[in-house]
């Protein structure tokens, strides 16, 4: 009967965006607007050293001289950067020392979102069940990080960015901003000036991180933006798998989420980075509200034989504009990008990847599945380039788009730049709608139209889903179904 | 400002450059610091054109000028059109070609521009219902020319348009074709081939807009680059809302034969209708080692094996040319390039 119950719950869940609630909690805000004083305010709130403040101020100065880019295939009214809060944090007494001190309202929020913050709850499952440590970021601050002790025993540092700046300044200074330079792009530059929190991971040489690490981002406060910064370093021969999830309340205003994620893989290291992005997508009819998800994610495969794998399931956000990329610097390093991007209602997505081959015998693989439904627009944009020194570089790209409905759009814009005679690039793309024959076949076997579409869509995205860690894959599969609800008929 | 105006007004600052998305790999602004003076009128004799013997009508535009060509309803013609640039200087040439209902036209077009020219040609080709046009473009400019061609093709329902662009490159060379495809069982084939050596550059850009239901497009472009040459392919297929049952396929395959050559490609699909089947494939790489090994194992010397494989690679494009005489001229031209 479990299956029936699950189906009932599943159908009930289809009704609407489930994470749209607001948590009533007392919060600390920075004054509205953006200027050098706000940057100082954020830095002071976090008790940052002087070098960090200078770094931020410099970024802010550069940002003021930059112009907002407009090349993506997305349209939105101009963002008023002065009409937003750049810092919002739940009020705490001293900063919680343990979980028991965390505001129960916050714990309740995460419980509602299905994120286990209590270590014993995580452990309460069946023996051998996969465990994962969570860094929970609520608006501008990290509220709690679990399993720190156990991770520390393995030598793994997993903490909030603010803590890392205080406790491990040498690592932060060495790596921060070195793969996404401060002035890399408009939103990354803004982030460098006002970033509030995020996760920091360091896995020492030869260590295989004993559990999955994850961050859960939650936007709660009204009129605020979230600017988190994530930095993951896998030292020689290390391995880490990292998951990222995000949700936000339903609101009529647009909120900006401009994060920067930097990954570093040294010799023989491997990082697996998975994202399930489910920000509030806005009202499907009017297109009002929703998150602008303008994120810069880049990995530096610095070491020889290093490997970075990006997997993303993008179902939320009013606008998604991001390209998780790999700079393949080390010889024989490899990069992978697996993506499912689903747009429905009036969502817009312009997403893809960049694989920059610099080292010899570097390899990359891109599998992108885009699904557009409703009145949405979904663009794959990707770059594969080989430097003259990248002898023997190899890339395979496949991007398929599926259209459901008469008013949606799907675009494929791949760039290929091959600058040497020993690189081999292959790219394939298709755009089609669901096959009538397949639909007919499945419905003839007794499935409703909605179920039939779900089944076929799941088949379409299977290649990517199987790259996700198991517990995420199940969630992602459901999310795919929910996102497409109402798109048929 | 468009390219024609920039050339006419000698305004080098307004030339398209790498900051313009459509010209990112064909930077004119960065190259031409100062627009050359207008080309002087040309009075001398020209050598015979490559396609002269095949044509029953000939038109030559030297250092600019305009041509208006009309093929009446139901008529049939083979036209040789030469766009020539003599001596250094800048100019713009233009041709308007109208093909009447059920008429047939084979358009044999050549670009022969000298070093030191900065030249653009704008062509409009209107193809009426049931008419069939085959356009073969052979661009053999001087290595120091900056040579551009921009064609706007408008098809009517049930028309057929087939094109093969062959290019040997120049300092900067761009052959651009934009097609308005009405659907309605009209058929479009857009092929291309670039064979580049030394420091030559060639850019083949196509934009096909499917505006109506039931359109067919097939595209195949291949390229071979060596030395420090640079080949560029940009192909965009747009399927507008309501252009259902569009069937469009695009292929681009490039062969890089030296370590310092480069190929840049951007095959784009922009789709606003759901009942479509669109696909593109794109590969860039070197000759297949296994095929080379196989050939050598059978006693074929390495150089010859390479030539054989390269010829086979580009042969597919040549074979698709319908007009037999033109196909043979092109085949000989290609063989000359590959052996050079």
């Amino acid at each position: 009967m479990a299956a029936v119950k699950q189906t009932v719950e599943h159908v009930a869940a289809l009704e609407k965006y489930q994470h749209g609630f607001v948590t009533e909690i007392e919060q600390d805000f920075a004054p509205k607007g953006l200027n050098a004083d706000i940057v100082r305010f954020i830095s002071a709130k976090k008790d940052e050293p002087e070098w960090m403040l200078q770094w931020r101020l410099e970024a802010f100065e550069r940002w003021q001289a930059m112009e907002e880019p407009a090349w993506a295939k997305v349209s939105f009214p101009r963002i008023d950067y002065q009409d937003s809060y750049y810092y919002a944090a739940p009020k705490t007494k001293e900063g919680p020392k343990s979980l028991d001190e965390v505001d129960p309202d916050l714990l309740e929020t995460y419980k509602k979102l299905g994120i286990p913050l209590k270590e014993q709850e995580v452990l309460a499952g069946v023996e051998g069940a996969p465990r994962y440590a969570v860094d929970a970021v609520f608006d501008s601050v990290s509220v709690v990080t679990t399993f720190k002790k156990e991770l520390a025993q393995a030598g793994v540092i997993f903490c909030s960015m603010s803590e890392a700046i205080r406790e491990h300044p040498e690592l932060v200074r060495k790596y921060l901003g070195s793969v996404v330079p401060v002035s890399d792009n408009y939103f990354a530059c803004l982030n460098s000036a006002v970033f509030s929190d995020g996760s920091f991971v360091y896995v020492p040489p030869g260590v295989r991180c004993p559990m999955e690490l994850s961050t859960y981002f939650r936007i709660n406060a009204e009129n605020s933006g979230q600017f988190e910064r994530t930095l993951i370093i896998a030292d020689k021969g290390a391995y880490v798998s990292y998951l990222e999830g995000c949700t936000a309340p339903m609101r009529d205003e647009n909120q900006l989420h401009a994060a920067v994620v930097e990954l570093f893989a040294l010799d023989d290291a491997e990082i697996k980075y998975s994202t399930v992005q489910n920000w509030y997508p806005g009202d499907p009819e009017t297109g009002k509200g929703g998150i602008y998800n303008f994120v810069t994610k880049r990995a530096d495969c610095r070491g020889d034989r290093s490997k970075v794998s990006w997997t993303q399931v993008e179902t939320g956000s009013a606008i998604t504009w991001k390209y998780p990329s790999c700079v393949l610097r080390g010889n024989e390093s490899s990069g992978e990008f697996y993506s499912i991007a689903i747009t429905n209602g009036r969502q817009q997505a312009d997403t893809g990847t960049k694989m920059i081959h610099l080292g010899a015998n570097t390899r990359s693989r891109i599998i992108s599945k885009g699904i557009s439904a409703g009145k949405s627009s979904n663009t794959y944009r990707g770059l594969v380039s080989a430097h003259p020194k990248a002898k023997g570089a190899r890339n395979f790209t496949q991007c398929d788009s599926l259209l459901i409905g008469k008013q949606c759009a799907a675009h494929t814009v791949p760039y290929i730049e091959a600058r040497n005679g020993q690189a081999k690039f292959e790219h394939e793309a298709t755009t089609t709608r669901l096959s009538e024959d397949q639909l007919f076949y499945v419905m003839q076997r007794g499935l409703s139209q909605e179920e039939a579409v779900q089944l076929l869509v799941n088949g379409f995205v299977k290649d990517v889903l199987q790259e996700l860690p198991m517990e995420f894959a199940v969630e992602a599969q459901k999310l795919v179904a929910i996102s497409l609800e109402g798109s048929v008929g | 400002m468009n390219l024609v105006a920039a050339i006419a007004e000698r305004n080098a600052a307004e030339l398209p450059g790498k900051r313009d998305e459509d010209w990112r790999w064909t930077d004119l602004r960065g190259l031409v610091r100062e627009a050359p003076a207008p080309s002087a009128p040309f009075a001398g004799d020209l050598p015979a054109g490559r396609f002269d013997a095949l044509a029953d009508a000939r038109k030559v535009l030297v250092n600019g000028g305009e041509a208006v060509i009309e093929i009446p309803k139901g008529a049939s013609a083979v036209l040789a059109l030469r766009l020539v640039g003599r001596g250094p200087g800048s100019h713009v040439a233009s041709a308007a070609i109208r093909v009447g209902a059920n008429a047939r036209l084979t358009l044999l077009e050549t670009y022969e521009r000298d070093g030191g020219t900065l030249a653009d040609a704008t062509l409009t080709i209107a193809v009426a219902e049931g008419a069939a046009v085959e356009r073969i473009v052979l661009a053999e400019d001087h290595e120091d020319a900056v040579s551009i061609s921009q064609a706007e093709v408008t098809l009517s329902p049930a028309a057929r348009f087939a094109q093969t662009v062959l290019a040997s490159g120049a300092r900067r060379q761009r052959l651009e074709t934009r097609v308005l495809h009405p659907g309605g069982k009209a058929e479009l084939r857009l092929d291309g081939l670039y064979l580049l050596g030394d420091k030559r550059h060639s850019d083949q850009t196509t934009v096909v807009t499917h505006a109506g239901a039931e359109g067919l497009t097939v595209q195949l472009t291949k390229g071979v680059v060596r030395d420090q040459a640079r080949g560029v392919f940009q192909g965009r297929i747009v399927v507008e809302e309501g252009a259902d049952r569009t069937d469009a396929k695009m292929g681009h395959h490039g062969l890089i034969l030296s370590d310092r050559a480069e190929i840049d490609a951007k095959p784009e699909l922009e789709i606003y209708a759901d009942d479509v089947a669109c696909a593109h494939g794109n590969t860039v790489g070197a000759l297949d080692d296994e095929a080379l090994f196989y050939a050598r194992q059978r006693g074929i010397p390495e150089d010859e094996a390479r030539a054989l494989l390269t010829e086979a690679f580009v042969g597919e494009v040549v074979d698709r040319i319908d007009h037999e005489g033109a196909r043979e001229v092109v085949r000989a031209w290609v063989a000359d390039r590959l052996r050079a």
Side-chain angles (χ1 to χ4, degrees), chain A residues 21 45 52 59 163 269 322 326 443:
Chain A
F21 61 89
K45 267 274 166 204
M52 197 65 238
E163 196 179 327
K322 68 169 201 184
C326 293
M443 286 169 70

Side-chain angles (χ1 to χ4, degrees), chain A residues 26 112 135 145 156 160 193 236 243 256 360 365 415 440 451 458:
Chain A
E26 253 194 286
K112 255 164 119 177
D135 180 27
T145 310
V156 176
S160 72
K236 289 178 182 171
L243 323 171
L256 179 62
R365 184 181 165 86
Y415 296 75
F440 176 74
E451 287 165 332
N458 269 322

Side-chain angles (χ1 to χ4, degrees), chain A residues 107-159:
Chain A
L107 290 179
E108 188 56 30
T109 304
Y110 282 91
K111 207 169 160 193
K112 255 164 119 177
L113 295 166
I115 308 300
L117 288 187
K118 296 204 168 186
E119 296 182 13
Q120 62 272 34
E121 279 176 16
V122 187
L123 292 163
V126 193
E127 203 180 323
R131 291 179 302 150
Y132 51 102
V134 179
D135 180 27
V137 177
F138 194 82
D139 287 323
S140 302
V141 291
S142 165
V143 289
V144 66
T145 310
T146 62
F147 284 109
K148 278 171 93 165
K149 256 189 223 142
E150 199 174 330
L151 287 167
Q153 276 168 12
V156 176
I157 303 171
F158 180 41
C159 61

